[in-house]
Amino acid sequence: GYDPCGNHVIDKPATYNFWRDYVPTLAPAWSGPLLSWTYSHPITLEPFPRTLFESKERPNLPPIWTYRRVINGAGYPESMGVHDVTLVNWPQNDYLLGNIIDKPEEEVSRHLEASRELSRSLLYWMQTEAPRPDGGTGYPGLYPRPDITGAPEGLAKYPYIRESRRIKARFTVTELHVGAQAHGGVKAAQFKDSVGVGAYRIDLHPSTGGDNYIDISSLPFQIPLGAMIPVRMQNLLPACKNIGTTHISNGCYRLHPVEWNIGESAGFLASFCLDKNVQPAHVWEQPELLADFQSLLQAEGVELDWPALSAL
């Protein structure tokens, strides 16, 4: 939250000096320190300067505060004293020093605590040292909102990991199916077994392996049922970003609306299979069952195809 008249500076985090001076080791190179208003532009990788709030001094710089702002205090009567609230899902809060997948418990705990220290350090930096357009430093009126996140210190309840474990599917979506340059045209590959749609750029954030952003144009795409059918398992369905995609194509299939569509279709598929006494693989393999299932989805309001659109 932001209280423009308040002073809510937290205690200096134990590892603040490390994070204040930390420069990500990435290729191509990051723009400088992680705790900065300038970071790599996701598409061009050129330095991308921003400000925290809109300012008269630097009107041409986009404010980062309104990115994922969840409460606009200006929309409430002044007498209510409602402050702006934003969700800090920004590049400065991406943790890059290690991953926690298939690691020993001690290593997982160490990385999770380090990621929390990054979040605390980002807040302290913004409160005390972050440059302001008027030449000053710090925004002491910033404060955490545990009442909204439901977790201590206003941090997230769980770490947000952009990429899930994925099933080994009967069909795997690749960049060749959805990438604008790789595929061409105005729509992605057409799937006869479509169970939904999505539209987003192929967007991979900097990785613990040292890669900077990978952000390339994609085409409005469909969700193929084959990517939801495991190769081996008979009684398991993926329900979000764990379908059969590659590391690259996951960059556009991982978006929340696409996850929600996958979850809806997985739920309908489970119900359909129970009603028909069939396995999910049978629905994918048998044209009549597939047509019945797609008719059910459409009757429930699930879009299966896009009109002609342009690349994103």
Side-chain angles (χ1 to χ4, degrees), residues 144-161:
R145 293 297 300 266
D147 57 314
I148 293 181
T149 66
E153 303 178 78
L155 302 179
K157 288 184 176 181
Y158 303 99
Y160 171 56
I161 301 171

Side-chain angles (χ1 to χ4, degrees), residues 29-110:
W30 194 248
S31 57
L34 183 63
L35 300 190
S36 168
W37 296 134
T38 298
Y39 53 86
S40 292
H41 191 285
I43 299 175
T44 67
L45 301 182
E46 295 294 319
F48 183 37
R50 305 190 69 165
T51 58
L52 180 59
F53 301 114
E54 292 183 351
S55 70
K56 294 180 293 184
E57 294 86 356
R58 308 197 70 181
N60 295 328
L61 294 185
I64 197 170
W65 180 264
T66 51
Y67 178 68
R68 299 190 187 277
R69 181 172 60 181
V70 295
I71 296 177
N72 181 359
Y76 294 83
E78 187 175 348
S79 60
M80 293 181 65
V82 176
H83 294 152
D84 262 23
V85 177
T86 196
L87 174 67
V88 183
N89 184 1
W90 305 339
Q92 298 91 334
N93 209 34
D94 278 350
Y95 179 79
L96 304 172
L97 297 187
N99 75 73
I100 60 175
I101 304 301
D102 295 330
K103 302 298 182 183
E105 184 176 345
E106 181 179 347
E107 184 174 350
V108 171
S109 297
R110 176 166 54 83

Side-chain angles (χ1 to χ4, degrees), residues 64-310:
I64 197 170
W65 180 264
T66 51
Y67 178 68
R68 299 190 187 277
R69 181 172 60 181
V70 295
I71 296 177
N72 181 359
Y76 294 83
E78 187 175 348
S79 60
M80 293 181 65
V82 176
H83 294 152
D84 262 23
V85 177
T86 196
L87 174 67
V88 183
N89 184 1
W90 305 339
Q92 298 91 334
N93 209 34
D94 278 350
Y95 179 79
L96 304 172
L97 297 187
N99 75 73
I100 60 175
I101 304 301
D102 295 330
K103 302 298 182 183
E105 184 176 345
E106 181 179 347
E107 184 174 350
V108 171
S109 297
R110 176 166 54 83
H111 284 308
L112 290 179
E113 178 55 27
S115 70
R116 288 189 285 266
E117 274 288 280
L118 168 57
S119 295
R120 298 180 189 115
S121 296
L122 172 58
L123 173 59
Y124 186 77
W125 175 79
M126 291 192 294
Q127 290 175 325
T128 62
E129 294 193 59
R132 300 197 311 255
D134 62 7
T137 55
Y139 298 86
L142 295 169
Y143 65 101
R145 293 297 300 266
D147 57 314
I148 293 181
T149 66
E153 303 178 78
L155 302 179
K157 288 184 176 181
Y158 303 99
Y160 171 56
I161 301 171
R162 294 174 60 85
E163 190 162 349
S164 172
R165 295 179 186 273
R166 301 188 297 274
I167 65 167
K168 291 184 177 180
R170 297 288 188 95
F171 179 82
T172 300
V173 182
T174 72
E175 181 187 353
L176 295 177
H177 297 115
V178 298
Q181 292 181 332
H183 181 74
V186 295
K187 286 200 293 187
Q190 295 294 284
F191 298 126
K192 293 181 179 179
D193 60 339
S194 173
V195 294
V197 295
Y200 197 73
R201 292 177 62 85
I202 294 174
D203 162 30
L204 280 66
H205 276 210
S207 73
T208 57
D211 296 310
N212 208 326
Y213 284 109
I214 298 172
D215 192 308
I216 54 180
S217 180
S218 68
L219 297 160
F221 54 83
Q222 296 172 310
I223 303 166
L225 178 59
M228 297 174 60
I229 307 298
V231 169
R232 180 175 60 87
M233 302 294 291
Q234 296 296 314
N235 61 344
L236 175 72
L237 289 173
C240 53
K241 55 188 177 184
N242 43 19
I243 66 171
T245 58
T246 63
H247 174 61
I248 299 295
S249 61
N250 175 75
C252 59
Y253 274 80
R254 64 167 183 83
L255 262 289
H256 307 334
V258 186
E259 288 188 272
W260 298 332
N261 194 154
I262 293 168
E264 279 189 315
S265 297
F268 283 126
L269 179 58
S271 176
F272 182 85
C273 288
L274 290 172
D275 289 342
K276 299 286 187 179
N277 195 28
V278 296
Q279 296 288 346
H282 297 158
V283 180
W284 182 62
E285 293 165 347
Q286 298 179 25
E288 290 185 5
L289 283 175
L290 176 60
D292 286 348
F293 178 56
Q294 289 176 317
S295 294
L296 168 66
L297 292 178
Q298 289 178 305
E300 294 290 344
V302 177
E303 301 281 352
L304 303 187
D305 196 8
W306 285 102
L309 297 173
S310 60

